[in-house]
Amino acid sequence: MLIPLLVSCGQYLDTSPDRKLVKRVEERLKPDEGLPLPAISQLPPQTVEQALPKFKEGRPKSATILPPPSATKPELPKAAPEASKQLSIAAVRSMALENNLDLKIAQADPKIAATAVSEEEAKFDDLIFAKAKYGKKNTPAQNLDVVSFTPVDSNSPLKNEIDKLTAVPQETEMLDMEAGIVIPLRTGAKVTVSSPFDGKRQFRGVASDQYQNALRFSISQPLLRDAGISNNVAGIRIARYEQQAVDVKTRLQAIRVLAMVERAYWSLYVAWGELDVRRQQYENASNNLSMVRKRVAEGLTASIEINRAEIGVAERLESLIIAETSLKTRQRQLKLLLNAPGLDLDSQTLLIPETSPTLLEFNLDREQLAQRALDGRLELLELELKLAADLTKIDYLSNQTLPMFMLDYNYAALGRDTSSYSGAFDQTLSGNYSDWSVGLRMEIPLSNELRRARLDRAVQERMQRLTSQQLRELSVRREIYDALDQMNQNWQRILATRQNVVLAGLNYDAELKQFKEGLRTMTEVLETLTRLGEAQLREVRAIGDYQVSMIDLAFATGTLLGHSRVDLGWQNN
């Protein structure tokens, strides 16, 4: 007997959404957001040095590749310690989580969603009420109805007499009081328990004091429309689904911002690498100019070579200036995302990337990653929560199309006394006098078009969302495959540009040596220097693009690369 009662109480108090879906949301919102590429790679990762010999033999036929950490990066220009700040990618992510304005805006959404749940739950708050009214009347004599007397005693002289009643002048004091509580139940019923008191004292005419009291109980229970726990807590469940959807959306916004920060970080890395290449080009051209001037002064080279060397210096100076401006722009982009104290947009502090790029090749299972994305993409989880809310809404609106049948029951224990309220209250407790009633009320709309239209719209919205879910899943798979192909392309670019840099460096050294022997002009030397610089730039860009393609792959799976165990800070409540 006790167990069914406890089960019924649990069902009555239960307003939580689907438990399996809630568990999935809670597991998905745990702090770990890393995509462990080394752990899911089918083959041991390869460095550039390990992969380059095979690349020279010919393009590999397999095209499923990806990367983690190595220590190869362009030499970075040295800045004054007080004017520079070295940042690892883990520090950048942590700063963004703490200071990014987009995230601070998003953090307010879960709090707003929680208030919506509180609003729905407040519909079942009990209501305590009390009222009191005092009045006084001093009325003159008044003509009342004409009546015929039907006495109980058949011998009464008033039998069948017709007369007019007249109210004598009266002075009356009245005091009405009532206190009680209204309890809304999750079955749809409303229970009211109250105790009214009223007292009346007459001072003129015929003195007549009266004190009345009652204990009233009433309940109104819907039998069709608005009946049942599931219909009455539908608003709470929908609000909880929406709250969890907001939590998921906020986590997604955090991942999106961190991905933007990481892209900006590697964009800055590329800008430093480009500046370093341009500086090396300028220094080499300047050294060549000094060497040519010395050889002309010694009579070993024609003076026209000085002009050619000066042209080479001027061209590289322009490229160096453009690279410096590009570095400032990308630093400002990262500072905007970080919004950290001491890193104002126009501050002179130089941000220097400290984390080495990941230069490893991975062999990843395309279908495994696609399934991982379908399980981990927060957009899909958010859509699933909305579909669950749609289903709850449809069930509720389906109930709203039913007729309204209301069962009403009222009971009151009555008491009266001519001397005091306490006497009336004692008589009420005795239970000698009572007043009760039971009844049915019915409301049936003639067309019911309004409620049916709302139900039809909810069904169509759910069907639309189901179609969107299918399209979203196809889009997720496409993003995974695109990210894998893009990453494979960038890995091949790294190998190709690394080989090109080596060959271009050897060619430049050979051309410079032949110039010193009088077999080449400075124009030809500068051409090979330019080709060397372009090859170095392509390598730097390929490395940067490779890091970004890994970020895109992780983002496509709904996670991050996991350079650090940074907790995004939002848990499902």
Side-chain angles (χ1 to χ4, degrees):
M1 186 69 181
L2 181 59
I3 294 178
L5 180 61
L6 293 176
V7 171
S8 300
C9 291
Q11 292 175 345
Y12 179 80
L13 298 174
D14 184 19
T15 60
S16 61
D18 182 80
R19 297 185 184 278
K20 293 182 179 178
L21 184 55
V22 170
K23 185 176 180 180
R24 283 191 57 206
V25 173
E26 291 175 349
E27 290 177 352
R28 183 60 190 85
L29 293 181
K30 288 180 180 178
D32 189 7
E33 284 292 349
L35 178 64
L37 293 179
I40 62 177
S41 178
Q42 293 179 313
L43 298 175
Q46 281 193 329
T47 64
V48 175
E49 289 72 16
Q50 292 171 334
L52 199 55
K54 183 178 179 181
F55 180 80
K56 291 178 180 179
E57 296 173 2
R59 290 178 56 82
K61 295 181 180 179
S62 175
T64 313
I65 313 176
L66 239 200
S70 173
T72 304
K73 64 178 179 179
E75 180 183 354
L76 302 178
K78 304 298 183 183
E82 66 277 2
S84 66
K85 184 177 182 64
Q86 289 194 342
L87 291 175
S88 66
I89 199 164
V92 164
R93 296 171 74 214
S94 179
M95 292 168 65
L97 286 174
E98 183 177 355
N99 302 302
N100 184 268
L101 294 178
D102 288 331
L103 290 183
K104 288 185 177 181
I105 294 172
Q107 282 178 345
D109 291 336
K111 298 177 182 178
I112 296 173
T115 61
V117 176
S118 298
E119 289 176 12
E120 292 295 331
E121 291 176 337
K123 294 179 180 179
F124 296 101
D125 284 352
D126 298 338
L127 174 66
I128 297 176
F129 67 91
K131 59 182 180 180
K133 180 181 178 181
Y134 173 79
K136 187 173 184 179
K137 292 193 299 184
N138 190 357
T139 57
Q142 296 180 4
N143 291 331
L144 301 180
D145 296 335
V146 176
V147 298
S148 174
F149 292 96
T150 305
V152 177
D153 185 359
S154 59
N155 297 320
S156 173
L158 296 178
K159 183 178 180 179
N160 297 325
E161 292 292 331
I162 297 175
D163 208 343
K164 182 184 73 172
L165 299 180
T166 301
V168 299
Q170 295 179 7
E171 182 178 348
T172 307
E173 285 185 351
M174 295 168 293
L175 177 63
D176 295 333
M177 297 178 293
E178 184 176 8
I181 183 171
V182 179
I183 306 172
L185 302 180
R186 296 186 179 187
T187 61
K190 180 179 289 187
V191 175
T192 303
V193 179
S194 65
S195 179
F197 287 86
D198 67 80
K200 181 168 64 174
R201 299 181 64 192
Q202 295 179 337
F203 299 99
R204 292 175 57 188
V206 179
S208 177
D209 294 349
Q210 177 176 266
Y211 300 91
Q212 296 185 92
N213 169 248
L215 292 176
R216 298 186 182 277
F217 169 84
S218 67
I219 181 171
S220 295
Q221 172 64 57
L223 300 179
L224 290 178
R225 188 198 305 167
D226 294 329
I229 297 175
S230 60
N231 293 310
N232 287 279
V233 301
I236 299 177
R237 287 190 174 132
I238 291 173
R240 289 190 183 278
Y241 279 128
E242 292 176 349
Q243 180 187 21
Q244 291 184 321
V246 169
D247 290 341
V248 169
K249 189 176 181 180
T250 304
R251 173 62 68 98
L252 176 61
Q253 177 67 6
I255 293 176
R256 182 177 288 114
V257 168
L258 288 179
M260 290 173 55
V261 169
E262 291 192 14
R263 291 188 188 102
Y265 183 89
W266 293 115
S267 177
L268 179 61
Y269 172 88
V270 171
W272 275 111
E274 290 178 348
L275 179 61
D276 187 56
V277 170
R278 296 301 186 188
R279 178 179 57 79
Q280 291 177 7
Q281 287 273 300
Y282 178 75
E283 290 176 354
N284 287 337
S286 298
N287 292 336
N288 288 343
L289 176 59
S290 300
M291 182 264 294
V292 169
R293 285 174 175 168
K294 183 177 180 180
R295 289 179 62 86
V296 169
E298 294 175 354
L300 299 176
T301 302
S303 59
I304 187 63
E305 298 295 346
I306 294 178
N307 292 335
R308 294 170 177 167
E310 288 177 343
I311 291 173
V313 171
E315 289 176 346
R316 284 152 183 78
L317 178 59
E318 178 190 8
S319 299
L320 181 60
I321 293 172
I322 294 174
E324 289 176 345
T325 303
S326 177
L327 177 64
K328 293 177 182 178
T329 302
R330 298 185 191 184
Q331 293 225 22
R332 200 170 293 119
Q333 178 186 11
L334 183 57
K335 289 177 181 178
L336 174 64
L337 294 173
L338 296 181
N339 190 38
L343 295 180
D344 296 333
L345 292 181
D346 202 31
S347 66
Q348 299 301 313
T349 303
L350 297 178
L351 301 182
I352 301 176
E354 184 180 53
T355 301
S356 301
T358 298
L359 293 179
L360 290 177
E361 177 187 20
F362 294 93
N363 190 301
L364 299 175
D365 188 305
R366 297 166 71 88
E367 292 305 319
Q368 180 185 356
L369 275 178
Q371 187 58 49
R372 192 184 188 99
L374 293 176
D375 295 337
R377 280 290 284 264
L378 292 170
E379 300 99 317
L380 294 176
L381 185 56
E382 179 187 3
L383 199 55
E384 191 172 347
L385 287 166
K386 290 181 178 179
L387 284 170
D390 288 343
L391 192 58
T392 303
K393 182 178 179 181
I394 289 172
D395 291 340
Y396 170 74
L397 292 177
S398 178
N399 173 265
Q400 293 299 295
T401 61
L402 299 175
M404 170 68 79
F405 278 93
M406 186 73 71
L407 174 65
D408 295 325
Y409 175 78
N410 295 277
Y411 176 84
L414 307 177
R416 175 187 175 276
D417 193 72
T418 58
S419 58
S420 66
Y421 285 115
S422 60
F425 185 73
D426 290 340
Q427 192 175 88
T428 298
L429 296 178
S430 69
N432 295 328
Y433 303 96
S434 63
D435 176 14
W436 67 271
S437 66
V438 61
L440 285 173
R441 288 180 291 151
M442 178 184 72
E443 293 181 7
I444 302 178
L446 291 179
S447 66
N448 210 20
E449 286 299 321
L450 175 61
R451 291 182 173 86
R452 292 187 182 278
R454 289 173 177 170
L455 176 60
D456 290 342
R457 184 176 67 178
V459 171
Q460 294 304 319
E461 287 176 349
R462 176 172 168 78
M463 295 300 296
Q464 183 185 49
R465 213 184 296 275
L466 284 170
T467 305
S468 299
Q469 184 184 40
Q470 296 174 359
L471 177 60
R472 187 73 61 84
E473 289 176 353
L474 288 175
S475 299
V476 167
R477 294 178 68 90
R478 181 190 64 83
E479 290 175 14
I480 287 292
Y481 300 146
D482 288 350
L484 282 169
D485 291 341
Q486 192 70 31
M487 192 170 60
N488 178 63
Q489 168 195 288
N490 292 331
W491 176 256
Q492 301 299 320
R493 285 175 56 201
I494 291 174
L495 298 179
T497 54
R498 176 65 61 85
Q499 184 179 14
N500 194 9
V501 167
V502 173
L503 296 176
L506 294 175
N507 192 29
Y508 171 69
D509 292 338
E511 290 290 333
L512 186 60
K513 182 177 180 180
Q514 290 195 2
F515 171 79
K516 293 178 181 180
E517 295 174 357
L519 301 177
R520 292 289 187 270
T521 65
M522 181 50 62
T523 299
E524 293 171 315
V525 173
L526 291 173
E527 287 177 355
T528 58
L529 179 60
T530 298
R531 283 195 291 271
L532 173 61
E534 292 301 322
Q536 291 172 329
L537 288 175
R538 286 195 297 272
E539 181 183 17
V540 170
R541 291 165 184 164
I543 292 174
D545 290 344
Y546 189 55
Q547 309 311 304
V548 171
S549 64
M550 285 193 295
I551 296 169
D552 293 341
L553 178 65
F555 186 78
T557 63
T559 58
L560 297 164
L561 280 181
H563 291 278
S564 68
R565 305 282 295 183
V566 177
D567 184 355
L568 297 183
W570 292 287
Q571 297 292 323
N572 186 42
N573 296 323

